[in-house]
Amino acid sequence: MSSTDPASDQNAGQRHTALDAVHRALGATMTDFAGWDMPLRYGSERDEHHAVRTRAGLFDLSHMGEITVTGPQAAALLDFALVGNIGAVKAGRARYTMICRADGGILDDLIVYRLAETEFMVVANASNAQVVLDALTERAEGFDAEVRDDRDAYALIAVQGPESPGILAAVTDADLDGLKYYAGLPGTVAGVPALIARTGYTGEDGFELFVRPEHAVELWQALTKAGQGAGLVPCGLSCRDTLRLEAGMPLYGHELSTSLTPFDAGLGRVVKFDKDGDFVGRTALEAAAERAASQPPRVLVGLVAEGRRVPRAGFAVVAGGEVIGEVTSGAPSPTLGKPIAMAYVDAAHAAPGTTGVGVDIRGSHEPYEVVALPFYKRQK
């Protein structure tokens, strides 16, 4: 994805998306993310956050890892390699799922798009793309299917927010009204061939557009022009993180890791034991499901600050002078106007409304209210 651009050599080994020059021309503050030089913010991350909640935001997500799986047994391979029932996904639809180790630990959370009867696109997190590619390649042995690294074949641009359908409709004749959440269809956007997916990571309505890298700048500029009257602004990874946190969406390396199973993370619903055949991690996950049903481990909850101090990942959650959990993600919430966090806490302290819970912020036990996730849910 344009990592061969000579201008990218100032940081050896760092990859640059096809939109790198656009971000710099817009004055973006850049940051390293999983080996990619990505826009953190363009101006105020709070303003970018509010734009997505009330109007629309434009994101470069080209660091995500696309892996194509094709062949007569592509569905069977994915049913074996992943915890979801991928064979049941209809062409044109997508499914949120996970890939686990044999011991049930989460290697990554994924979105899988079924592009055709024997063609799937697996989208992995940037930091785990190689791990997922290697695992799928290893698990493909014995299946009549091909696993292909397509990370260089795509740029990914997202337009998110309540104004996003109108903005996108101005530059495509695709049937957006008929495109359901977690569905994708091939189309043309601003004259550019694209996979148009109604997915996102912000808690708002929106679209993710997979295009060839050489078309990324043209598409970005067309969407920017189409969104001028609707308040569309370019958005960086910083506001994407506060948006997903408010929406209670997990982030790998924070709420998800190899030390946790989907059941530990409160996402056991993605594991489909009723699908045909064995799958990697089944035995361990069956045991994890039993443990979660009889004696829940720590539970992922929301925490809302009573004060102004912001919790960060790794901070201890306390009650009665005892450590009862750990913060996994924390930030000021632009929508709520208070600091918020997600944390794993002992089940005895996990009920919404539980009192006497605090976060140890540099030696001071700051009071927090336990709430149900998500913190924010958009009006349909």
Side-chain angles (χ1 to χ4, degrees):
M1 250 172 274
S2 87
S3 56
T4 55
D5 184 339
S8 70
D9 290 341
Q10 65 261 32
N11 295 312
Q14 202 168 50
R15 302 191 72 185
H16 293 245
T17 79
L19 291 161
D20 185 69
V22 173
H23 302 318
R24 294 176 191 280
L26 289 168
T29 298
M30 306 297 286
T31 189
D32 176 80
F33 187 85
W36 290 85
D37 202 22
M38 298 297 294
L40 186 64
R41 68 181 71 84
Y42 297 86
S44 160
E45 56 200 53
R46 180 177 292 269
D47 289 348
E48 292 171 22
H49 182 110
H50 284 309
V52 176
R53 286 278 179 259
T54 60
R55 303 183 304 278
L58 192 61
F59 296 83
D60 178 10
L61 305 179
S62 301
H63 60 313
M64 300 296 283
E66 296 86 5
I67 302 163
T68 302
V69 181
T70 58
Q73 290 188 299
L77 163 59
L78 291 173
D79 277 341
F80 170 71
L82 311 180
V83 301
N85 188 354
I86 308 304
V89 178
K90 293 183 169 59
R93 299 306 303 267
R95 180 70 48 86
Y96 176 78
T97 187
M98 295 182 183
I99 182 168
C100 290
R101 302 190 308 191
D103 66 1
I106 303 166
L107 284 172
D108 201 13
D109 62 334
L110 313 164
I111 296 181
V112 179
Y113 298 88
R114 189 168 199 161
L115 305 180
E117 183 64 24
T118 60
E119 183 179 7
F120 298 81
M121 182 169 67
V122 177
V123 181
N125 286 296
S127 56
N128 292 330
Q130 190 63 48
V131 170
V132 174
L133 177 66
D134 291 345
L136 287 175
T137 301
E138 179 183 333
R139 295 173 189 187
E141 186 176 350
F143 287 92
D144 187 3
E146 178 194 355
V147 176
R148 186 173 71 237
D149 181 0
D150 268 350
R151 285 176 286 179
D152 289 333
Y154 291 102
L156 177 56
I157 295 173
V159 55
Q160 299 279 302
E163 298 292 336
S164 59
I167 292 168
L168 188 57
V171 290
T172 184
D173 57 4
D175 178 17
L176 300 182
D177 288 340
L179 187 63
K180 298 177 181 177
Y181 187 50
Y182 264 72
L185 80 166
T188 302
V189 183
V192 169
L195 172 65
I196 306 167
R198 200 162 205 152
T199 47
Y201 195 52
T202 63
E204 298 297 337
D205 191 11
F207 303 87
E208 295 181 318
L209 308 170
F210 296 84
V211 299
R212 295 285 306 175
E214 58 266 28
H215 295 146
V217 172
E218 178 185 352
L219 179 57
W220 180 279
Q221 291 172 341
L223 288 166
T224 298
K225 184 177 179 182
Q228 281 176 345
L232 177 76
V233 301
C235 293
L237 295 183
S238 185
C239 86
R240 189 169 182 252
D241 191 50
T242 52
L243 288 160
R244 71 91 194 169
L245 176 56
E246 287 184 350
M249 295 176 167
L251 175 64
Y252 196 89
H254 289 254
E255 288 72 42
L256 308 175
S257 71
T258 52
S259 65
L260 297 169
T261 72
F263 294 95
D264 297 326
L267 292 166
R269 64 182 180 276
V270 307
V271 182
K272 304 301 181 185
F273 293 120
D274 56 352
K275 63 179 175 177
D276 293 336
D278 195 13
F279 63 91
V280 177
R282 176 192 274 274
T283 301
L285 290 170
E286 285 173 342
E290 288 183 18
R291 287 195 304 272
S294 60
Q295 186 178 4
R298 285 183 167 175
V299 178
L300 187 65
V301 302
L303 299 174
V304 177
E306 295 181 18
R308 309 303 303 173
R309 299 188 72 184
V310 179
R312 298 298 182 189
F315 285 13
V317 182
V318 295
E322 300 289 329
V323 174
I324 59 156
E326 184 176 304
V327 171
T328 53
S329 296
S333 166
T335 303
L336 275 64
K338 299 177 180 180
I340 60 172
M342 286 198 282
Y344 283 106
V345 303
D346 294 345
H349 299 273
T354 298
T355 58
V357 172
V359 175
D360 187 340
I361 302 181
R362 298 178 184 86
S364 174
H365 291 186
E366 300 292 325
Y368 273 74
E369 178 188 358
V370 178
V371 300
L373 292 169
F375 301 97
Y376 165 86
K377 200 166 188 177
R378 72 181 173 94
Q379 300 300 310
K380 299 290 185 184

